[in-house]
Coordinates of all heavy atoms in Angstrom, one line a residue:
M88 N 0.3 -11.1 -3.4 CA 0.7 -10.6 -2.1 C -0.3 -11.0 -1.1 O -1.5 -10.8 -1.2 CB 0.8 -9.1 -2.2 CG 1.1 -8.4 -0.9 SD 1.1 -6.6 -0.9 CE 2.5 -6.3 -1.9
D89 N 0.2 -11.7 -0.1 CA -0.7 -12.2 1.0 C -0.9 -11.1 2.1 O -0.2 -10.0 2.0 CB -0.4 -13.5 1.5 CG 0.8 -13.5 2.4 OD1 1.1 -12.5 3.1 OD2 1.5 -14.6 2.5
M90 N -1.7 -11.3 3.0 CA -2.1 -10.3 4.0 C -1.0 -9.9 4.9 O -1.0 -8.8 5.5 CB -3.3 -10.9 4.8 CG -4.6 -11.1 4.0 SD -5.2 -9.5 3.4 CE -6.2 -9.1 4.8
D91 N 0.0 -10.8 5.1 CA 1.1 -10.4 6.0 C 2.3 -9.8 5.4 O 3.3 -9.5 6.0 CB 1.5 -11.6 6.9 CG 0.4 -12.0 7.8 OD1 -0.3 -11.1 8.4 OD2 0.1 -13.2 7.9
E92 N 2.2 -9.6 4.1 CA 3.3 -8.9 3.3 C 3.1 -7.4 3.5 O 2.0 -6.9 3.7 CB 3.2 -9.3 1.9 CG 3.4 -10.8 1.6 CD 4.8 -11.3 2.0 OE1 5.7 -10.4 2.1 OE2 5.0 -12.5 2.2
E93 N 4.2 -6.7 3.4 CA 4.2 -5.2 3.5 C 3.7 -4.6 2.2 O 4.3 -4.7 1.2 CB 5.6 -4.7 3.9 CG 6.0 -5.1 5.3 CD 7.4 -4.5 5.6 OE1 8.0 -3.9 4.8 OE2 7.8 -4.8 6.8
L94 N 2.6 -3.8 2.4 CA 2.1 -3.1 1.3 C 2.8 -1.7 1.2 O 3.2 -1.3 0.1 CB 0.6 -2.9 1.5 CG -0.2 -2.1 0.4 CD1 0.0 -2.8 -1.0 CD2 -1.6 -2.0 0.7
C95 N 3.1 -1.1 2.3 CA 3.9 0.1 2.3 C 5.2 -0.3 2.9 O 5.4 -0.5 4.1 CB 3.3 1.2 3.1 SG 4.3 2.7 3.1
L96 N 6.2 -0.4 2.0 CA 7.5 -0.8 2.3 C 8.3 0.3 3.1 O 9.1 0.0 3.9 CB 8.3 -1.2 1.1 CG 7.7 -2.4 0.4 CD1 8.4 -2.6 -1.0 CD2 8.0 -3.7 1.2
C97 N 7.9 1.5 2.9 CA 8.6 2.6 3.6 C 8.3 2.6 5.1 O 9.2 2.8 5.9 CB 8.1 4.0 3.1 SG 8.8 4.4 1.5
F98 N 7.0 2.2 5.5 CA 6.7 2.3 6.9 C 6.2 0.9 7.4 O 5.6 0.8 8.5 CB 5.6 3.3 7.1 CG 6.1 4.7 6.9 CD1 5.7 5.4 5.7 CD2 7.0 5.3 7.7 CE1 6.2 6.7 5.5 CE2 7.5 6.6 7.5 CZ 7.1 7.2 6.4
H99 N 6.6 -0.1 6.6 CA 6.3 -1.5 7.0 C 4.9 -1.8 7.4 O 4.6 -2.4 8.4 CB 7.3 -1.9 8.2 CG 8.7 -1.5 7.9 ND1 9.5 -2.2 7.0 CD2 9.5 -0.5 8.4 CE1 10.7 -1.7 6.9 NE2 10.7 -0.7 7.7
V100 N 4.0 -1.3 6.6 CA 2.6 -1.4 6.8 C 2.1 -2.6 6.0 O 2.2 -2.6 4.8 CB 1.8 -0.2 6.5 CG1 0.3 -0.4 6.8 CG2 2.3 1.0 7.2
T101 N 1.6 -3.6 6.7 CA 1.1 -4.8 5.9 C -0.2 -4.6 5.2 O -1.0 -3.7 5.6 CB 1.0 -6.0 6.9 OG1 -0.1 -5.7 7.8 CG2 2.2 -6.4 7.6
R102 N -0.4 -5.5 4.3 CA -1.7 -5.4 3.6 C -2.8 -5.6 4.6 O -3.9 -5.0 4.5 CB -1.7 -6.5 2.5 CG -3.0 -6.6 1.8 CD -3.0 -7.5 0.6 NE -4.3 -7.5 -0.1 CZ -4.4 -7.9 -1.3 NH1 -3.4 -8.4 -2.0 NH2 -5.6 -7.9 -1.9
R103 N -2.6 -6.5 5.5 CA -3.7 -6.8 6.5 C -4.0 -5.5 7.3 O -5.2 -5.2 7.5 CB -3.2 -7.8 7.5 CG -4.3 -8.3 8.5 CD -3.8 -9.3 9.5 NE -3.1 -10.4 8.9 CZ -3.7 -11.5 8.4 NH1 -5.0 -11.5 8.4 NH2 -3.1 -12.5 7.8
K104 N -3.0 -4.7 7.7 CA -3.3 -3.5 8.4 C -4.2 -2.5 7.6 O -5.1 -1.9 8.0 CB -2.0 -2.8 8.8 CG -1.3 -3.5 10.0 CD 0.0 -2.8 10.3 CE 0.7 -3.5 11.4 NZ 2.1 -3.0 11.6
V105 N -3.8 -2.4 6.3 CA -4.5 -1.5 5.4 C -6.0 -2.0 5.2 O -6.9 -1.2 5.3 CB -3.8 -1.4 4.1 CG1 -4.7 -0.6 3.1 CG2 -2.5 -0.7 4.2
V106 N -6.1 -3.3 5.0 CA -7.5 -3.9 4.8 C -8.3 -3.7 6.0 O -9.5 -3.3 5.9 CB -7.3 -5.4 4.4 CG1 -8.7 -6.1 4.5 CG2 -6.8 -5.5 3.0
N107 N -7.8 -3.9 7.2 CA -8.5 -3.8 8.4 C -8.9 -2.3 8.6 O -10.0 -2.0 9.1 CB -7.8 -4.3 9.6 CG -7.8 -5.8 9.6 OD1 -8.6 -6.5 9.0 ND2 -6.8 -6.4 10.3
F108 N -7.9 -1.4 8.3 CA -8.2 0.0 8.4 C -9.4 0.4 7.5 O -10.3 1.1 7.9 CB -7.0 0.8 8.0 CG -7.1 2.3 8.2 CD1 -6.8 2.9 9.5 CD2 -7.6 3.1 7.2 CE1 -7.0 4.3 9.7 CE2 -7.8 4.5 7.4 CZ -7.5 5.1 8.6
I109 N -9.4 -0.1 6.3 CA -10.5 0.2 5.4 C -11.8 -0.3 5.9 O -12.8 0.4 5.9 CB -10.2 -0.3 4.0 CG1 -9.0 0.5 3.3 CG2 -11.4 -0.3 3.1 CD1 -8.5 -0.1 2.0
R110 N -11.8 -1.5 6.4 CA -13.0 -2.2 6.9 C -13.6 -1.5 8.1 O -14.8 -1.3 8.3 CB -12.8 -3.6 7.2 CG -12.7 -4.5 5.9 CD -12.5 -5.9 6.2 NE -12.5 -6.7 5.0 CZ -11.8 -7.8 4.8 NH1 -11.1 -8.3 5.8 NH2 -11.8 -8.5 3.6
V111 N -12.7 -1.1 9.0 CA -13.1 -0.6 10.3 C -13.3 0.9 10.3 O -14.4 1.4 10.7 CB -12.1 -0.9 11.4 CG1 -12.4 -0.2 12.7 CG2 -12.0 -2.4 11.6
E112 N -12.4 1.6 9.7 CA -12.5 3.1 9.7 C -13.3 3.7 8.6 O -13.7 4.8 8.6 CB -11.1 3.7 9.7 CG -10.2 3.3 10.8 CD -10.7 3.8 12.2 OE1 -11.4 4.8 12.2 OE2 -10.4 3.0 13.2
R113 N -13.5 2.9 7.5 CA -14.3 3.3 6.3 C -13.9 4.7 5.9 O -14.7 5.6 5.9 CB -15.8 3.3 6.6 CG -16.3 1.9 7.0 CD -17.7 1.9 7.3 NE -18.2 0.5 7.5 CZ -18.8 -0.2 6.6 NH1 -18.9 0.2 5.4 NH2 -19.2 -1.4 6.9
P114 N -12.6 4.9 5.4 CA -12.2 6.2 5.0 C -13.0 6.7 3.8 O -13.4 5.9 3.0 CB -10.7 5.9 4.6 CG -10.6 4.5 4.3 CD -11.6 3.8 5.2
R115 N -13.2 8.0 3.7 CA -14.0 8.6 2.7 C -13.1 9.0 1.5 O -13.6 9.2 0.4 CB -14.8 9.8 3.2 CG -15.7 9.4 4.4 CD -16.5 10.5 4.9 NE -17.9 10.2 4.5 CZ -18.8 11.1 4.3 NH1 -18.5 12.3 4.4 NH2 -20.0 10.7 4.0
R116 N -11.8 9.2 1.8 CA -10.9 9.6 0.8 C -9.7 8.7 0.9 O -9.3 8.3 2.0 CB -10.4 11.1 1.0 CG -11.5 12.1 0.8 CD -11.0 13.5 1.1 NE -10.8 13.6 2.5 CZ -9.5 13.7 3.1 NH1 -8.5 13.6 2.3 NH2 -9.4 13.8 4.4
V117 N -9.0 8.4 -0.2 CA -7.9 7.5 -0.2 C -6.8 8.1 0.7 O -6.0 7.3 1.3 CB -7.4 7.1 -1.6 CG1 -6.8 8.4 -2.3 CG2 -6.4 6.0 -1.6
G118 N -6.6 9.4 0.7 CA -5.6 10.0 1.5 C -5.7 9.7 3.0 O -4.7 9.8 3.7
Q119 N -6.9 9.3 3.4 CA -7.0 9.0 4.8 C -6.3 7.7 5.2 O -6.1 7.4 6.4 CB -8.5 8.8 5.2 CG -9.2 10.2 5.2 CD -10.7 10.0 5.5 OE1 -11.5 9.8 4.5 NE2 -11.1 10.1 6.7
L120 N -5.9 6.9 4.2 CA -5.1 5.7 4.5 C -3.8 6.0 5.1 O -3.1 5.2 5.7 CB -4.9 4.9 3.2 CG -6.2 4.3 2.6 CD1 -6.0 3.4 1.4 CD2 -7.0 3.5 3.7
S121 N -3.3 7.3 5.0 CA -2.1 7.7 5.6 C -2.2 7.6 7.1 O -1.2 7.5 7.9 CB -1.7 9.1 5.2 OG -2.6 10.0 5.7
E122 N -3.4 7.6 7.6 CA -3.6 7.5 9.1 C -3.4 6.0 9.5 O -3.4 5.8 10.7 CB -5.1 7.9 9.4 CG -5.3 9.4 9.2 CD -6.8 9.7 9.2 OE1 -7.6 9.0 9.9 OE2 -7.2 10.7 8.6
C123 N -3.2 5.2 8.6 CA -2.9 3.8 8.9 C -1.3 3.6 8.9 O -0.7 3.2 8.0 CB -3.5 2.8 7.9 SG -3.2 1.1 8.2
F124 N -0.8 4.0 10.0 CA 0.7 3.9 10.3 C 1.5 4.6 9.2 O 2.7 4.2 8.9 CB 1.1 2.4 10.4 CG 0.4 1.7 11.4 CD1 -0.8 0.9 11.1 CD2 0.8 1.7 12.8 CE1 -1.5 0.2 12.1 CE2 0.1 1.1 13.8 CZ -1.0 0.3 13.4
G125 N 1.0 5.6 8.6 CA 1.7 6.4 7.6 C 1.8 5.9 6.2 O 2.5 6.3 5.4
A126 N 0.9 4.9 6.0 CA 0.9 4.2 4.6 C 0.8 5.3 3.5 O 0.0 6.2 3.5 CB -0.2 3.3 4.5
G127 N 1.7 5.2 2.6 CA 1.7 6.1 1.4 C 2.4 7.4 1.6 O 2.4 8.2 0.6
T128 N 3.0 7.7 2.7 CA 3.5 9.0 3.0 C 5.1 9.0 2.8 O 5.7 10.0 3.2 CB 3.2 9.5 4.4 OG1 3.7 8.6 5.4 CG2 1.7 9.6 4.5
G129 N 5.6 8.0 2.3 CA 7.1 8.0 2.1 C 7.4 8.2 0.6 O 7.1 9.3 0.1
C130 N 7.9 7.2 0.0 CA 8.3 7.4 -1.4 C 7.2 7.5 -2.4 O 7.3 8.0 -3.5 CB 9.2 6.2 -1.8 SG 8.3 4.6 -2.0
G131 N 6.0 7.1 -2.0 CA 4.8 7.2 -2.9 C 4.6 6.0 -3.7 O 3.5 5.9 -4.4
W132 N 5.5 5.0 -3.7 CA 5.3 3.8 -4.6 C 4.0 3.1 -4.3 O 3.3 2.7 -5.3 CB 6.5 2.9 -4.3 CG 6.2 1.5 -4.8 CD1 6.0 0.4 -4.1 CD2 6.1 1.1 -6.2 NE1 5.7 -0.7 -4.9 CE2 5.8 -0.3 -6.2 CE3 6.2 1.7 -7.4 CZ2 5.6 -1.0 -7.4 CZ3 6.1 1.0 -8.6 CH2 5.8 -0.3 -8.6
C133 N 3.6 3.0 -3.1 CA 2.4 2.1 -2.8 C 1.1 2.8 -3.0 O 0.0 2.2 -3.0 CB 2.5 1.7 -1.3 SG 2.4 3.0 -0.1
R134 N 1.1 4.1 -3.3 CA -0.1 4.9 -3.4 C -1.1 4.3 -4.5 O -2.3 4.2 -4.2 CB 0.2 6.4 -3.7 CG 0.7 7.1 -2.5 CD 1.0 8.5 -2.7 NE 1.9 9.0 -1.7 CZ 2.7 10.0 -1.9 NH1 2.7 10.7 -3.0 NH2 3.5 10.4 -0.9
P135 N -0.6 3.9 -5.7 CA -1.5 3.3 -6.6 C -2.2 2.0 -6.1 O -3.3 1.7 -6.4 CB -0.7 3.0 -7.9 CG 0.5 4.0 -7.7 CD 0.7 4.1 -6.2
F136 N -1.5 1.3 -5.3 CA -2.0 0.0 -4.8 C -3.0 0.3 -3.6 O -4.0 -0.4 -3.5 CB -0.8 -0.9 -4.3 CG 0.1 -1.2 -5.4 CD1 1.3 -0.4 -5.6 CD2 -0.2 -2.1 -6.4 CE1 2.1 -0.7 -6.7 CE2 0.7 -2.4 -7.5 CZ 1.8 -1.6 -7.6
L137 N -2.7 1.4 -2.8 CA -3.6 1.8 -1.8 C -4.9 2.3 -2.5 O -6.0 2.0 -2.1 CB -3.0 2.9 -1.0 CG -1.8 2.6 -0.1 CD1 -1.2 3.8 0.5 CD2 -2.2 1.6 1.0
Q138 N -4.7 3.0 -3.6 CA -5.9 3.5 -4.4 C -6.7 2.3 -4.9 O -7.9 2.3 -4.8 CB -5.4 4.4 -5.5 CG -6.5 4.9 -6.4 CD -7.1 6.2 -5.8 OE1 -6.4 7.1 -5.5 NE2 -8.4 6.2 -5.6
K139 N -6.0 1.3 -5.4 CA -6.7 0.2 -5.9 C -7.6 -0.5 -4.9 O -8.7 -0.9 -5.1 CB -5.7 -0.8 -6.5 CG -6.3 -2.0 -7.2 CD -5.1 -2.8 -7.9 CE -5.7 -4.0 -8.7 NZ -4.6 -4.7 -9.4
L140 N -7.0 -0.7 -3.7 CA -7.8 -1.3 -2.6 C -8.9 -0.4 -2.1 O -10.1 -0.9 -1.9 CB -6.9 -1.7 -1.4 CG -5.8 -2.7 -1.6 CD1 -5.0 -2.9 -0.4 CD2 -6.4 -4.1 -2.0
F141 N -8.6 0.9 -2.0 CA -9.7 1.8 -1.6 C -10.8 1.8 -2.6 O -12.0 1.8 -2.3 CB -9.1 3.2 -1.5 CG -10.1 4.3 -1.2 CD1 -10.4 4.5 0.1 CD2 -10.6 5.1 -2.2 CE1 -11.4 5.5 0.4 CE2 -11.5 6.0 -1.9 CZ -11.9 6.3 -0.6
D142 N -10.5 1.9 -3.9 CA -11.5 1.9 -5.0 C -12.3 0.7 -5.0 O -13.6 0.7 -5.2 CB -10.9 2.1 -6.4 CG -10.3 3.5 -6.6 OD1 -10.6 4.4 -5.8 OD2 -9.5 3.7 -7.5
Q143 N -11.7 -0.5 -4.8 CA -12.4 -1.7 -4.8 C -13.4 -1.8 -3.6 O -14.6 -2.2 -3.8 CB -11.5 -2.9 -4.7 CG -12.2 -4.2 -4.8 CD -11.3 -5.4 -4.5 OE1 -10.4 -5.3 -3.7 NE2 -11.7 -6.6 -5.0
A144 N -12.9 -1.3 -2.4 CA -13.8 -1.3 -1.3 C -15.0 -0.4 -1.5 O -16.1 -0.7 -1.1 CB -13.0 -0.9 0.0
A145 N -14.7 0.8 -2.1 CA -15.8 1.7 -2.3 C -16.8 1.2 -3.3 O -18.0 1.4 -3.3 CB -15.2 3.1 -2.8
R146 N -16.3 0.5 -4.3 CA -17.1 0.0 -5.4 C -18.0 -1.2 -5.0 O -19.2 -1.3 -5.2 CB -16.2 -0.4 -6.6 CG -17.0 -0.8 -7.9 CD -16.0 -1.1 -9.0 NE -15.1 -2.2 -8.6 CZ -13.8 -2.0 -8.5 NH1 -13.2 -0.9 -8.7 NH2 -13.0 -3.1 -8.2
D147 N -17.4 -2.2 -4.4 CA -18.1 -3.4 -4.1 C -17.9 -4.0 -2.7 O -18.3 -5.1 -2.5 CB -17.8 -4.5 -5.2 CG -16.4 -4.9 -5.3 OD1 -15.6 -4.6 -4.3 OD2 -15.9 -5.4 -6.3
G148 N -17.3 -3.3 -1.9 CA -17.1 -3.7 -0.5 C -16.1 -4.8 -0.2 O -15.9 -5.2 0.9
Q149 N -15.4 -5.2 -1.3 CA -14.3 -6.2 -1.2 C -13.0 -5.5 -1.1 O -12.8 -4.4 -1.6 CB -14.3 -7.1 -2.4 CG -15.6 -7.9 -2.5 CD -15.9 -8.8 -1.3 OE1 -15.1 -9.5 -0.9 NE2 -17.1 -8.7 -0.8
V150 N -12.0 -6.1 -0.5 CA -10.7 -5.6 -0.4 C -9.7 -6.7 -0.7 O -8.7 -6.9 0.0 CB -10.4 -5.0 1.0 CG1 -9.2 -4.0 0.9 CG2 -11.6 -4.3 1.6
D151 N -9.9 -7.4 -1.8 CA -9.1 -8.5 -2.1 C -8.5 -8.4 -3.5 O -8.2 -9.4 -4.2 CB -9.9 -9.8 -2.0 CG -11.1 -9.8 -3.0 OD1 -11.3 -8.8 -3.7 OD2 -11.8 -10.8 -3.0
A152 N -8.2 -7.2 -4.0 CA -7.7 -7.0 -5.3 C -6.3 -7.7 -5.5 O -5.6 -7.8 -4.5 CB -7.5 -5.5 -5.5
E153 N -6.1 -8.2 -6.7 CA -4.9 -8.8 -7.0 C -3.7 -7.8 -7.0 O -3.8 -6.7 -7.6 CB -5.0 -9.5 -8.4 CG -3.9 -10.5 -8.7 CD -4.0 -11.7 -7.9 OE1 -5.1 -12.1 -7.5 OE2 -2.9 -12.3 -7.6
L154 N -2.6 -8.1 -6.3 CA -1.5 -7.3 -6.2 C -0.3 -8.1 -6.6 O -0.3 -9.3 -6.6 CB -1.3 -6.7 -4.8 CG -2.4 -5.8 -4.3 CD1 -2.1 -5.3 -2.9 CD2 -2.7 -4.6 -5.2
P155 N 0.8 -7.5 -7.0 CA 2.0 -8.2 -7.4 C 2.6 -9.1 -6.3 O 2.3 -8.9 -5.1 CB 3.0 -7.1 -7.8 CG 2.3 -5.9 -8.0 CD 1.0 -6.0 -7.2
T156 N 3.4 -10.1 -6.7 CA 4.0 -10.9 -5.7 C 5.0 -10.0 -4.9 O 5.4 -8.9 -5.4 CB 4.8 -12.0 -6.3 OG1 5.9 -11.4 -7.1 CG2 4.0 -12.9 -7.1
P157 N 5.3 -10.3 -3.6 CA 6.2 -9.5 -2.8 C 7.5 -9.2 -3.5 O 8.0 -8.1 -3.4 CB 6.3 -10.3 -1.5 CG 5.1 -11.1 -1.4 CD 4.7 -11.4 -2.8
S158 N 8.1 -10.2 -4.1 CA 9.4 -10.0 -4.7 C 9.3 -9.0 -5.9 O 10.1 -8.2 -6.1 CB 10.0 -11.3 -5.1 OG 9.2 -12.0 -6.0
E159 N 8.2 -9.2 -6.7 CA 8.0 -8.3 -7.9 C 7.7 -6.9 -7.4 O 8.2 -5.9 -7.9 CB 6.9 -8.9 -8.7 CG 6.5 -8.1 -9.9 CD 7.6 -8.1 -11.0 OE1 8.6 -8.8 -10.9 OE2 7.3 -7.5 -12.1
Y160 N 6.9 -6.8 -6.4 CA 6.5 -5.5 -5.8 C 7.8 -4.8 -5.3 O 8.0 -3.6 -5.6 CB 5.6 -5.8 -4.6 CG 4.9 -4.6 -4.1 CD1 3.8 -4.0 -4.8 CD2 5.2 -4.1 -2.8 CE1 3.2 -2.9 -4.2 CE2 4.6 -3.0 -2.3 CZ 3.5 -2.4 -3.0 OH 2.9 -1.4 -2.4
A161 N 8.7 -5.5 -4.6 CA 9.9 -4.8 -4.1 C 10.8 -4.5 -5.2 O 11.5 -3.4 -5.2 CB 10.6 -5.8 -3.1
R162 N 10.9 -5.3 -6.2 CA 11.8 -5.1 -7.4 C 11.3 -3.8 -8.1 O 12.1 -3.0 -8.5 CB 11.8 -6.3 -8.3 CG 12.8 -6.2 -9.4 CD 12.7 -7.4 -10.4 NE 11.5 -7.4 -11.1 CZ 11.2 -6.5 -12.1 NH1 12.1 -5.7 -12.5 NH2 10.0 -6.6 -12.8
L163 N 10.0 -3.7 -8.4 CA 9.5 -2.6 -9.1 C 9.6 -1.3 -8.3 O 9.9 -0.2 -8.8 CB 8.0 -2.8 -9.4 CG 7.7 -3.9 -10.5 CD1 6.3 -4.2 -10.5 CD2 8.3 -3.5 -11.8
R164 N 9.5 -1.4 -7.0 CA 9.7 -0.2 -6.1 C 11.1 0.2 -6.2 O 11.4 1.5 -6.2 CB 9.3 -0.5 -4.7 CG 9.6 0.7 -3.7 CD 9.2 0.3 -2.3 NE 9.5 1.3 -1.3 CZ 10.6 1.2 -0.6 NH1 11.4 0.3 -0.6 NH2 10.8 2.2 0.3
A165 N 12.1 -0.7 -6.1 CA 13.5 -0.3 -6.2 C 13.8 0.4 -7.5 O 14.5 1.4 -7.5 CB 14.4 -1.6 -6.0
A166 N 13.2 -0.1 -8.6 CA 13.4 0.6 -9.9 C 12.8 2.0 -9.8 O 13.4 3.0 -10.3 CB 12.8 -0.2 -11.0
Y167 N 11.6 2.1 -9.2 CA 10.9 3.4 -9.1 C 11.8 4.4 -8.3 O 11.9 5.6 -8.7 CB 9.6 3.1 -8.4 CG 8.8 4.3 -7.8 CD1 7.8 4.9 -8.6 CD2 9.0 4.7 -6.5 CE1 7.1 5.9 -8.1 CE2 8.2 5.7 -6.0 CZ 7.3 6.3 -6.8 OH 6.5 7.4 -6.2
I168 N 12.4 4.0 -7.3 CA 13.2 4.8 -6.5 C 14.5 5.2 -7.2 O 14.9 6.4 -7.3 CB 13.6 4.2 -5.1 CG1 12.3 4.2 -4.3 CG2 14.7 4.9 -4.4 CD1 12.4 3.3 -3.0
R169 N 15.1 4.2 -7.8 CA 16.4 4.4 -8.6 C 16.1 5.5 -9.7 O 17.0 6.3 -10.0 CB 16.8 3.1 -9.3 CG 17.9 2.4 -8.6 CD 18.6 1.4 -9.4 NE 17.7 0.6 -10.2 CZ 17.1 -0.5 -9.8 NH1 17.2 -0.9 -8.6 NH2 16.3 -1.2 -10.6
E170 N 14.9 5.4 -10.3 CA 14.6 6.4 -11.4 C 14.2 7.8 -10.8 O 13.9 8.7 -11.6 CB 13.4 5.8 -12.2 CG 13.8 4.6 -13.0 CD 12.6 3.8 -13.5 OE1 11.5 4.3 -13.4 OE2 12.9 2.7 -14.1
G171 N 14.3 7.9 -9.5 CA 14.1 9.2 -8.9 C 12.6 9.7 -8.7 O 12.4 10.8 -8.6
H172 N 11.7 8.7 -8.7 CA 10.3 9.0 -8.5 C 9.9 9.3 -7.1 O 8.9 9.9 -6.8 CB 9.4 7.9 -9.1 CG 9.6 7.7 -10.6 ND1 9.3 8.7 -11.5 CD2 10.1 6.7 -11.3 CE1 9.5 8.3 -12.7 NE2 10.1 7.0 -12.6
G173 N 10.7 8.8 -6.2 CA 10.4 9.1 -4.8 C 11.5 8.7 -3.9 O 12.4 8.0 -4.3
T174 N 11.5 9.3 -2.7 CA 12.6 9.1 -1.7 C 12.0 8.4 -0.5 O 11.2 9.0 0.2 CB 13.3 10.4 -1.3 OG1 13.7 11.1 -2.5 CG2 14.4 10.2 -0.4
P175 N 12.5 7.2 -0.2 CA 12.0 6.6 1.0 C 12.6 7.2 2.3 O 13.7 7.8 2.2 CB 12.5 5.1 0.9 CG 13.7 5.2 0.0 CD 13.5 6.4 -0.9
P176 N 11.9 7.0 3.4 CA 12.5 7.6 4.7 C 13.7 6.8 5.0 O 13.9 5.7 4.6 CB 11.3 7.3 5.7 CG 10.5 6.2 5.1 CD 10.6 6.4 3.6
A177 N 14.5 7.4 5.9 CA 15.8 6.8 6.3 C 15.6 5.4 6.9 O 16.4 4.5 6.8 CB 16.5 7.7 7.2
S178 N 14.4 5.2 7.6 CA 14.2 4.0 8.3 C 13.8 2.8 7.4 O 13.6 1.7 7.8 CB 13.1 4.2 9.3 OG 11.9 4.6 8.6
S179 N 13.6 3.1 6.1 CA 13.1 2.1 5.1 C 14.3 1.5 4.4 O 15.3 2.2 4.1 CB 12.2 2.8 4.1 OG 11.9 2.0 3.0
S180 N 14.1 0.3 4.0 CA 15.1 -0.4 3.1 C 14.7 -0.1 1.7 O 13.5 0.0 1.4 CB 15.3 -1.8 3.4 OG 14.0 -2.5 3.0
E181 N 15.7 0.2 0.8 CA 15.3 0.5 -0.5 C 15.2 -0.7 -1.5 O 14.9 -0.6 -2.6 CB 16.4 1.5 -1.1 CG 16.3 2.8 -0.5 CD 17.1 3.9 -1.3 OE1 17.3 3.6 -2.5 OE2 17.5 4.8 -0.7
T182 N 15.5 -1.9 -1.0 CA 15.4 -3.0 -1.9 C 14.2 -3.8 -1.6 O 13.5 -3.7 -0.7 CB 16.7 -4.0 -1.6 OG1 16.7 -4.3 -0.3 CG2 17.9 -3.2 -2.0
Ligands
LIG431 S1 6.2 2.1 -0.2 FE1 4.6 3.3 0.7 S2 5.3 5.3 0.7 FE2 7.0 4.1 0.0

């Protein structure tokens, strides 16, 4: 997943926005990433990936963790939603 791909598909938050938020705002808790355009506050699918970036930044100051390709990421999220794990906001596409 490159920097201009959406990390939070519910609120269309790109990886770049999240990375910049982490670098500039230096959140102390992963939950503070929700202040980045609502990232993670929809279906919940992206939370483990937000956690991964947050943990990496806290551990070694880098925010370049490997994430799935955009198509794989979207496919896995669609399955997650179909299985009833989370409900995306009405403004979000489910695919
Ligand atoms: S993809 Fe981020 S909360 Fe749904």
Side-chain angles (χ1 to χ4, degrees):
M88 174 183 293
D89 72 27
M90 295 293 273
D91 293 317
E92 299 292 341
E93 291 182 358
L94 183 57
C95 182
L96 296 167
C97 285
F98 294 105
H99 310 288
V100 184
T101 64
R102 179 175 180 157
R103 185 182 310 279
K104 286 178 183 171
V105 172
V106 166
N107 286 340
F108 184 89
I109 290 172
R110 286 182 175 151
V111 173
E112 301 297 331
R113 298 179 177 266
R115 305 182 109 209
R116 295 175 292 105
V117 69
Q119 288 176 275
L120 295 181
S121 66
E122 296 168 21
C123 180
F124 302 96
T128 62
C130 72
W132 163 252
C133 63
R134 288 180 198 154
F136 302 97
L137 294 170
Q138 181 81 54
K139 185 173 184 175
L140 294 178
F141 177 84
D142 288 346
Q143 186 194 22
R146 187 179 56 245
D147 58 19
Q149 301 297 310
V150 201
D151 60 358
E153 193 70 29
L154 299 180
T156 63
S158 60
E159 180 71 356
Y160 191 74
R162 187 186 67 74
L163 291 170
R164 175 180 176 261
Y167 167 89
I168 290 169
R169 262 195 319 276
E170 292 166 4
H172 296 296
T174 304
S178 60
S179 167
S180 64
E181 287 192 27
T182 57

